[in-house]
Amino acid sequence: MSEAVKPQRLALMHLFWWFMFAQGGVIAALLIPVHVLVQGILGPLGIVPVVDRHYDTWVSVLGNPLVKLYLLVLIAFPFFHFAHRLRYLLVDFGVPAAKSVPAQVVFYGGAVVVTLVTVYILLTTVPI
Amino acid sequence: MTTEATAEATTEAPAAPREYSWRMPANWWTRNRHYFLYTVREFTALPLALWLLWLLVEIRRAGDGPARYAPHSSTAFVVFSVVVLAFALYHSYTFLTLAGTILHFKVLDRPVPARLIVLSQFAAWAAASVVVAFVLIWFAHE
Amino acid sequence: MDFESYDVLVVGGGLAGIRAAIAAVEANPRVRVGMVSKVYPMRSHTVSAEGGAAAALGPGDSFETHAFDTIKGSDYLADQEVVEAFVREAPVEIIQMEHWGCPWSRNPDGTIAVRPFGGMTTWRTCFAADKTGFHMLHAVFQTSLKYPQITRHDEAFVTKLLVEDSRCVGVVALDIRSGRFDAITAKSVILATGGLGRVYAFTTNGNICTGDGMALAYRAGAGLKDMEMVQFHPTGLPFTGILITEAVRGEGGYLLNKDGERFLKRYVPNKMELGPRDIISRAMTTEFEEGRGFEGPHGKYMHLDVRHLGEKVIDRKLPFMRELGREFLGIDIVTDPIPVRPVQHYMMGGVDANISGETPILGLYAAGECANVGLNGGNRLGSNSLPECLVFGAAAGRAAAHYASSARPVTANPVDAMLWDEARRVEAEYLEKKGGDERIGPIREEMQREMDAGAGVFRTKEGLSRLVRNLGGLRERFEKVRIDDSSRTFNTEIIAALELDFMLEVASVIAFTALAREESRGAHARRDFPERDDEHFLKHTLAFHTNTLAPRLEYSDVHITTFKPQARSY
Amino acid sequence: MPDKTITVRATRFDPERDREPRMQSYEVPFTDESMVVLDALNHVKSHIDGSLSYRWSCRMGICGSCGMMVNGTPKLTCNAFLRDYWPRPVVVQPLNNFPIIRDLVIDMDDFMHKLKSIKPWIIRKQELPLGAGEHRQSNEQIDDFRQFSECINCMLCYAACPVYGLNNEFLGPAATALARRYNLDSRDQGLKERLPVLGEAEGIWECSFVGECSVVCPKGVDPAKAIQQTKLDTTMRFVLPYGNRE
Ligand SMILES: Cc1cc2nc3c(=O)[nH]c(=O)nc-3n(C[C@H](O)[C@H](O)[C@H](O)COP(=O)(O)OP(=O)(O)OC[C@H]3O[C@@H](n4cnc5c(N)ncnc54)[C@H](O)[C@@H]3O)c2cc1C
Ligand code: SF4
Ligand code: F3S
Ligand code: FES
């Protein structure tokens, strides 16, 4: 009797963002550690030679369209993952407002912006 | 279907009894080791995001031209990367394990055991890392 | 008047009760059904049933043999036309449960699998691993959620049946959460309140099995049938009374005494571990008395050994037993034998009802363990009880719906007064009483000890007479009971008091009827009358409420159609 | 040897008297190594203080009614051994994340509504007539959903899930596990009817995979897995063109 009848619809937006979250998570898990290790630690310490240590090698690699595509995936996808996690982390810390539509716009919008910036940078830096 | 509160109340029964409602303490995530590790797991997003932004900057700087190009190599940066690496490894470990346990396939009508799936996830991680490391290092010699 | 009124009211949310509720709705979709239960339905004690549910499904089986096994198992005290109807309906009900989602274990070809069980000549016990009752109860409860005609009153405790002009028109129920008394009226009422194991100290039954329905019907004037017939299961875990299912023996487990001997060869040589429960429990008790049991901190015990079955069979067919061993005993049954001893398990006796669940009180029906429709006689065969709940639950549901469609509506007037009286009674006796000096706990514990001692596996005239006396004494002490809890909100102490009141009632009936049956039949084994006496006691005992503790006893004939009584040997 | 005892600290709350729950201590004889927390509570109720209220029945870990917080962890009290806590006191509280009705008794009506909302019964386009016998089902097909059918509705998972603690609208672990139990049953064809309930905003998407639900589940149901798999399958139905089938 007292049962509140809630409209029940498959939340397609949630489904999409979860999908992006999962994809981004996989990409981040498979690819980020090795980049951090090689480009963030081994390279700067000079333990091994790394492409981004020299202008020539870095540019020649960045000029490759396949590399550009790869970097887009590497950077853009995880941001959807990050956006999702950080949004829920805020909820966990007692900020239910992080569930609101404006918050979604900010977080996922942020990921979209990072994606666009990445595309822009990849296209304008060392153009093919 | 609810337990209907109808019927004649004969005795001077109190109105609907009060319940003590639950309120989540703000520090809930510190009260149990698992909760804490979960929070750390979710938090990995932040350092990883920062590091990728750095990578974006690194890419952008390739546009500065040969004369002005200077890759980051300060100690602070290395320390930052070490910290990020710890988070990154934690993310990879938790994500692949968890993803492995929820993926479910059948081969020849038999479910593939979760252990095998997790193992293959880690194998994929190793393979991807080797390939990426190879590219990053090998093409540095050109 | 705004009390809740239904066409059919089911008291009890166990297998029998829910099956009855669904049957009533399916018989007539316009019927409004109420279901009252003192616990959420999925907590009902059916949930504990482990081994399985018997039905002559398989090609190698027949109604005939299932009927004969049941009647022989009952020591010829079963009503044979009831048994015949039962064995015919049981397979249909098992299929119905399958359609409702019960995850029956299967044969390689996808049909429902069966396993052997005690006292059954062929394999006919359907099972869902070793959590059969759990799966059946959850399947039927979850299915019941789809019927909008069924309204539940969860955690409401029925304290009294409303009887007007010898017609049952509803119940008075205490809403446990608010402490309020409600009259829930109905054109017909079905009792499905389960067993009474808690009158014993050592029992497999849960805390809620306190014989409420039997006491309610008894006080309302219905007869209780064959209450001396109490089943003891051979394999309970010492201390906790947790049941080790008969399926363990069905799957090939051995019972061993302290000499490592399969002692059943001296008692049921042709059946060994697959003998019926009454005989094996007596065999174990005899072995204990003759010094061939193990001695433990919680008394004597035997070993139930499944080590030879191997880990694979155990994990596939008896996973819950392994879980119980690990959790409650700290043993792995793959490598260690299980300590077991006989334990009170089931009540054959119950509210006198016919094949449709009708009791002699107009509009009152009974089904499941709290009823005695004449199926189990002196000893129930393992795995006959779950199908009994289905078959006779459904029958009672249909009959009650049918009756309700033509019965005249319940009038508010006398109901109001009866509700008021009952509420005042409980308040005066428990809530507002001053000066009592006894707690419930010690009285209950003493009753349980007395019942174990006096009305256990073997009985004697002296023991039963002492029991009768002591129960009288306990009843007097109960009059002076004191309640610590004065709150109305979720007052479980009042519930415990009401339950103890019911238990003292049914315990006395057990004691008196056992004293009167001067023979040994089925589960009722008298040391002083070791033989079955068909001449005097091929009869049902009927006990009726009087103003004293002693019931008025009557006897009625057993219906014998096909199978003439013969010696019962295995 | 002096008789061994154990201190039990239990939550007391009577809405007719108390504004807030408080703790009360009892000394209980610890006479047998196989005693469980529930035995200690029963001792208190029978011999020390009859007004202590809690739910229990089967004492064998199957009826699901005796769940409480024991030293901060959701447990079935009939399955939590005193020997694991002694000689320190054992602290018994009502399950987290639920309103308290009285003492150790929580209000679980919310779950009862959720259970019903996922339509936990076999849904078929065409009912098989009884006369046609059983649906054929192999033991392997049962294995697909067996784990999720073992749920005893004990609510330990809800008590462990912080997401539920923060937002009671969340459908939660056990209800989703049961929905999955039916969705995976070869006899059932109700996936399409359940999807809108599972996939709505406060359904599976709320779960951030804390995973504690599965850690505390006494029956190995793994509701966390059920939820993530449901997310995955639901998503795949939309992402993969061929995923959108029955
Ligand atoms: C451990 C164990 C194992 C068993 N194994 C098997 C087996 O393998 N095979 C087999 O065939 N049988 C088995 N049995 C027997 C069988 O499980 C029971 O006989 C059967 O489940 C009883 O079902 P029921 O519906 O009659 O009662 P229950 O399931 O006990 O339900 C009783 C209902 O009545 C309600 N109720 C009671 N009193 C009141 C009141 N005063 N007010 C409101 N509601 C009330 C309760 O809340 C409950 O919902 C086993 C029994 C036990 C104890
Ligand atoms: S999923 Fe596990 S913890 Fe949750 S209610 Fe079911 S049995 Fe209990
Ligand atoms: S703990 Fe809660 S967040 Fe999800 S995985 Fe379990 S439901
Ligand atoms: S009392 Fe039944 S689960 Fe603990």
Side-chain angles (χ1 to χ4, degrees), chain D residues 38 56-66 76-78 152:
Chain D
L38 181 61
W56 72 288
S57 177
C58 70
R59 208 207 172 278
M60 57 189 282
I62 191 80
C63 76
S65 54
C66 69
L76 296 180
T77 48
C78 69
I152 61 174

Side-chain angles (χ1 to χ4, degrees), chain C residues 492-509:
Chain C
T492 47
E493 200 181 13
I494 289 213
I495 300 298
L498 291 163
E499 287 175 340
L500 181 55
D501 180 25
F502 289 153
M503 285 195 286
L504 285 168
E505 194 87 83
V506 291
S508 302
V509 178

